[in-house]
Structures are given as C-alpha cells and as structure tokens.
Amino acid sequence: MSQTQSKPSLRNRLLRHVLIPLAVTWLVGTALVVGIASYFAQQAFDRALLDDAYLVASHVRRANDASGGGLELSLSAQEMSTVLFDQSETLYFAVLRPDGSLLAGHPGLRPTRLQEDLKPMFDALDYQGRTLRSVTVHRQQPADFYVVMAQTTASRDSLLQRLLTFSVIPQVLLLGLLAAWLYRAIEEDLVPLAELETAVGQRDVRDLTPVPVTATTHDVQRLGQAINALLGRIAFSVQAQREFSGNVAHELRTPLAGIRALADYGLRHTDPQVWHEQLHGIAKSQERASHLVDQLLALALADEAHQDLEKTAVSLDALVGEAVLRYLPKADATGVDLGAKGIDHAVVVQGNAALIEGILNNLIDNALRYGRAHNGESHITVAVETTPYSVVLSVTDNGAGVPPDKLQQISQRWVQGAAGEALKAGVGLGLAIVGTYAKLLGARVALAAAQPHGLCVHVTFDKSSL
C-alpha cells in the first residue's frame, strides 16, 4: 500500500474529530439522564413499598390473650389480599418478633439481619428463587416487632429498559442524521480543494500561469493565493534564467568570434610581432567577454533579489571610500583624476551593502571607460550629499556627456552612448544594472548633464526609509 493510500482522508478525519467527541458526550449525558431518572423512579417504588410496610405495621395489635408473644395482625385474609394487590408485581410480607420468629405473613421471608435502628432499611434479598426489593420497618409500639415488605422488580426493570430505549434510540438517530449532514457539508466544502488538487496535478510543467481557485472558505482562498504566489515566483525565476541564457548566448557570440578570428589570423603568420599584436587583441577581447559575463550575472542576481532582500543600516561614506581606493590604480593608469567628496563624516542609509557596492562599481567603471575628456585633464568625482529629506550619491565626469534626448534611453538594457559605440566596448548594461539595484533598494536614479560638459548620475535614498 502506498503512503498516499495509507493516509486517512481529510473528510473522514473531520468526521471523526466531530462525531466521536459528540457521541461520547451524548453517551455520557444519556447515562447521566437515565441514571438520575432511574434513581428517582426507584425512590418512588421504594416509597410505595414503605407505605405498604407502614400500613401492615399499623394493624399489628396487642392480643387479648398472652399467646403469640402478646401481638397479633388484625387484618383478615380478605383485607390482607387487598393490601398486597398489585397488577404487575408480587408482594410478600412478614411480621417478625424480635427473636426473628414469624408472627404473620410468608414463612422464610426475613432480612439478613435485624437491627435495633428505627430507620427503615432497604435491601435486596433472595426468596423462593427470586431477587426481591425489600424494606424492613422496626416498631416498638405496642410492642417490639419488625415488618418485612418485599416485592418483585419486574416493573422496575421494565421501566429502566424503557428509559434506556427512549433515551438512546433518539440520540442515535439524531447522531446518524448529524453524521449524514456533516458528511454532505464537509464534502461540499472540500470540493474547491479537490478542484485545486486536480488543477495542480494536471498542470503542465511549463505552465506557470495562476491556477483558477473557486474558494468557498477563507482557508482554501489563502491556499490558492499561496500556490499562485509560488507559481509567480517560479515563473519570474524561470524568466530570469531564460533571459540570462539568451543574453549570454547572444552577447558572447561576438567576442568569442573575435577571439577565434584573431587566433586564426595569428596562426597564418610567422612574424612574432603579428603574434604579439593578435595575443594583445585576444586579451582585450577576453577582458570584454569577462566584463560582459560579470554584468549579465549581476543582472541575473538582481532579478533573483526581487524575491527576498534584507535591508540593514549601511555606512555609505565607508563604501564610497573603499570603491574610490579600489579604482584608484586603474584611474591613475589611464590618467584620470578620481576623487571623493562628502565622506569626511558618517552617512548611514538603509539598504544592502552588496547592491550599493554594485552601484558604485558600475558608475565608476562606466565613468572611467566613457567619461574621459577629449582635451585636458579628466576628472571623476564621487560625492555624497545629505539633505533634510534624502541622501544623494552622485558620480560626475567631465567627458563628452550624453545628448539630452538620449539620457532616458541609455539607462535601458543593451543601449550605449556615443562614447561606448565609438570605443566598441561594453554592451550597454552598466546603467541598467544601476537602475535595477536602485529599484531594489527603494532609491531613485536620475541622469543629468554636467557643466560645462560630462555626465552626472544621481542615486537618491529617501530618509523616510532610513
């Protein structure tokens, strides 16, 4: 038997959890009701039996002669028959002397013991093969004697059976009706769950569209929403993977083809100078391909970060200082004056250190690649400015800049500025990565022309999120 088959159904579990406690409660309640009713019925029967004993005792007189221990029963046989008459039970009586000898009544009818207490004593005794309910009354007037009155218990037993029957059968019928109603109600409430199970089970592995949910309860609705949210996250992740694979396949084709062409050209020549030139070109192409792969990976990781991003307090001044020091050797090698402003005091923002570092790396790298001045010295400034409502991170260069009509376009993927197109370097992902990272951090990116020429990129962090 499979594990699925060995598990009980939700419907049966709900029925058991409802009906079993209810049945036990009803059973205990019925037992209490029957017990209480039986107790008071026994009290009524015992009271009638005691009245008969008092009636017999009231007719015990002192005899006119000394025979019979000085006492006699003044009831005739006719009168005694009237006293002992019962339509459904047989009554027995005995009047006993203090020594237990029979004064009148049925021989052999006597309790297990005769007590001196004047309080009536109820008991069960066996007489002529029957179990009787008896009461013993002790009287001291006109002399000391005992009256034992007993009767059969058929009426008592019959009454108890009727109490049980008329108490249990309706309860069982009601429990059965309730079980049938619960079964149908639970079955109807579980229909949306079964439909959801069928929809998910029959869904193609490539179909990540939301599952239709017919919710009759809040719980089924929340389950459907959770499944659809999961499908949405999976679809987003799959789409990011597809885009990454497509981008890698498309963009790496050109540098790899260039590397192959350079290698083939070098192999066709025997001049070491040509080999040196081709190897230098291969190294440049490899550097461009590595940079492209790094950027594509950064975009893929940024897309994945949409799922879950934890923000903490980050020292922006420290990150800016580290980034400037990290790129300073490259800036010196290319003759660029790289500096920082506004980091002489602590500046803290709520964000993610890795993403802010990625923003700085891409902006500084872009400025070093495309922001060098055509004439004169090249300057790149990384600045941090604090305003009453925000913290602004900016990277400014004095290069050729970007025409105003292209400022919005170059922040899109695969779009390059004139400098990038002229240098045949990069693929237009740097600012797209910056925009994606900023969106994850809840920041805003703005591009503006620097004066007198160049490009300034602002990343604004609202203080409301600090």
Side-chain angles (χ1 to χ4, degrees):
M1 181 178 292
S2 66
Q3 185 177 5
T4 302
Q5 293 175 338
S6 64
K7 298 290 185 181
S9 67
L10 179 59
R11 180 186 59 248
N12 293 338
R13 285 177 62 90
L14 289 174
L15 284 174
R16 284 203 304 268
H17 290 328
V18 173
L19 292 180
I20 291 178
L22 187 59
V24 172
T25 302
W26 278 5
L27 181 62
V28 173
T30 301
L32 289 174
V33 170
V34 171
I36 294 172
S38 175
Y39 171 77
F40 286 108
Q42 291 284 2
Q43 290 286 95
F45 278 109
D46 288 346
R47 186 66 207 179
L49 187 64
L50 181 61
D51 289 342
D52 290 339
Y54 283 148
L55 179 60
V56 172
S58 65
H59 287 83
V60 176
R61 302 281 189 268
R62 189 177 295 277
N64 294 329
D65 55 10
S67 63
L71 297 174
E72 64 178 1
L73 182 61
S74 62
L75 292 174
S76 63
Q78 181 73 25
E79 292 171 337
M80 199 65 223
S81 298
T82 302
V83 171
L84 299 179
F85 175 76
D86 192 295
Q87 290 183 343
S88 56
E89 300 289 358
T90 302
L91 274 76
Y92 303 90
F93 84 99
V95 180
L96 304 177
R97 299 183 181 90
D99 59 0
S101 60
L102 182 66
L103 176 64
H106 296 86
L109 183 67
R110 59 175 298 161
T112 54
R113 61 188 180 88
L114 296 175
Q115 60 182 12
E116 297 295 330
D117 192 1
L118 297 179
K119 182 179 179 181
M121 182 183 69
F122 291 92
D123 197 5
L125 55 84
D126 294 328
Y127 181 68
Q128 295 180 356
R130 296 182 176 183
T131 299
L132 307 178
R133 178 68 172 175
S134 69
V135 62
T136 303
V137 177
H138 182 201
R139 285 288 181 266
Q140 295 177 333
Q141 294 295 332
D144 201 15
F145 69 94
Y146 294 89
V147 175
V148 181
M149 184 67 67
Q151 69 176 167
T152 54
T153 59
S155 296
R156 299 169 186 253
D157 296 340
S158 176
L159 178 62
L160 181 60
Q161 282 185 336
R162 289 198 300 272
L163 284 173
L164 285 172
T165 300
F166 291 115
S167 297
V168 173
I169 291 180
Q171 300 277 20
V172 172
L173 291 176
L174 287 174
L175 188 62
L177 292 175
L178 179 61
W181 179 82
L182 281 175
Y183 185 91
R184 182 174 179 180
I186 293 174
E187 188 77 19
E188 292 178 355
D189 286 340
L190 291 179
V191 167
L193 191 60
E195 293 176 350
L196 181 61
E197 177 189 1
T198 303
V200 173
Q202 296 178 350
R203 179 63 65 93
D204 186 82
V205 294
R206 292 164 294 184
D207 186 3
L208 297 175
T209 58
V211 178
V213 180
T214 306
T216 56
T217 63
H218 181 60
D219 303 289
V220 176
Q221 183 181 22
R222 287 194 305 171
L223 177 60
Q225 291 173 348
I227 292 176
N228 286 332
L230 175 62
L231 291 175
R233 293 193 296 271
I234 295 175
F236 189 88
S237 178
V238 169
Q239 181 63 26
Q241 292 175 11
R242 289 174 180 171
E243 288 185 1
F244 175 75
S245 301
N247 293 338
V248 169
H250 179 269
E251 297 301 327
L252 285 183
R253 187 180 295 115
T254 300
L256 290 178
I259 291 173
R260 178 61 183 268
L262 291 171
D264 290 341
Y265 183 82
L267 290 173
R268 290 196 299 267
H269 292 76
T270 58
D271 185 359
Q273 181 64 29
V274 175
W275 291 349
H276 182 271
E277 292 175 356
Q278 299 310 305
L279 288 174
H280 182 72
I282 289 173
K284 286 290 187 181
S285 297
Q286 185 275 333
E287 180 183 358
R288 179 173 179 269
S290 297
H291 180 67
L292 172 62
V293 170
D294 290 340
Q295 287 188 313
L296 289 172
L297 285 173
L299 272 178
L301 292 174
D303 289 335
E304 290 292 333
H306 276 92
Q307 309 300 322
D308 185 17
L309 178 65
E310 181 179 357
K311 293 183 180 181
T312 58
V314 178
S315 297
L316 185 59
D317 57 301
L319 289 180
V320 170
E322 293 172 1
V324 169
L325 290 176
R326 187 163 54 249
Y327 280 92
L328 198 56
K330 185 176 180 180
D332 291 340
T334 56
V336 177
D337 178 22
L338 176 62
K341 291 172 57 178
I343 61 172
D344 51 348
H345 59 277
V347 180
V348 178
V349 296
Q350 285 292 326
N352 181 278
L355 294 184
I356 296 177
E357 186 176 311
I359 290 175
L360 287 167
N361 289 342
N362 278 280
L363 290 180
I364 297 175
D365 183 71
N366 268 8
L368 288 173
R369 287 173 179 268
Y370 317 121
R372 282 177 285 180
H374 293 304
N375 299 310
E377 294 184 355
S378 298
H379 301 280
I380 297 175
T381 303
V382 184
V384 177
E385 181 182 359
T386 302
T387 69
Y389 304 103
S390 62
V391 174
V392 181
L393 168 67
S394 64
V395 177
T396 306
D397 63 65
N398 64 339
V402 178
D405 58 339
K406 279 196 172 184
L407 283 177
Q408 297 301 323
Q409 298 179 16
I410 63 170
S411 60
Q412 301 174 7
R413 297 185 185 187
W414 317 116
V415 177
Q416 287 185 281
E421 294 174 352
L423 294 173
K424 302 297 183 183
V427 292
L429 289 178
L431 289 178
I433 293 173
V434 171
T436 303
Y437 284 2
K439 184 177 179 181
L440 291 174
L441 294 168
R444 301 185 304 277
V445 178
L447 282 69
Q451 297 300 327
H453 50 79
L455 178 67
C456 181
V457 181
H458 299 272
V459 181
T460 304
F461 299 87
D462 289 333
K463 282 190 174 180
S464 59
S465 61
L466 302 185

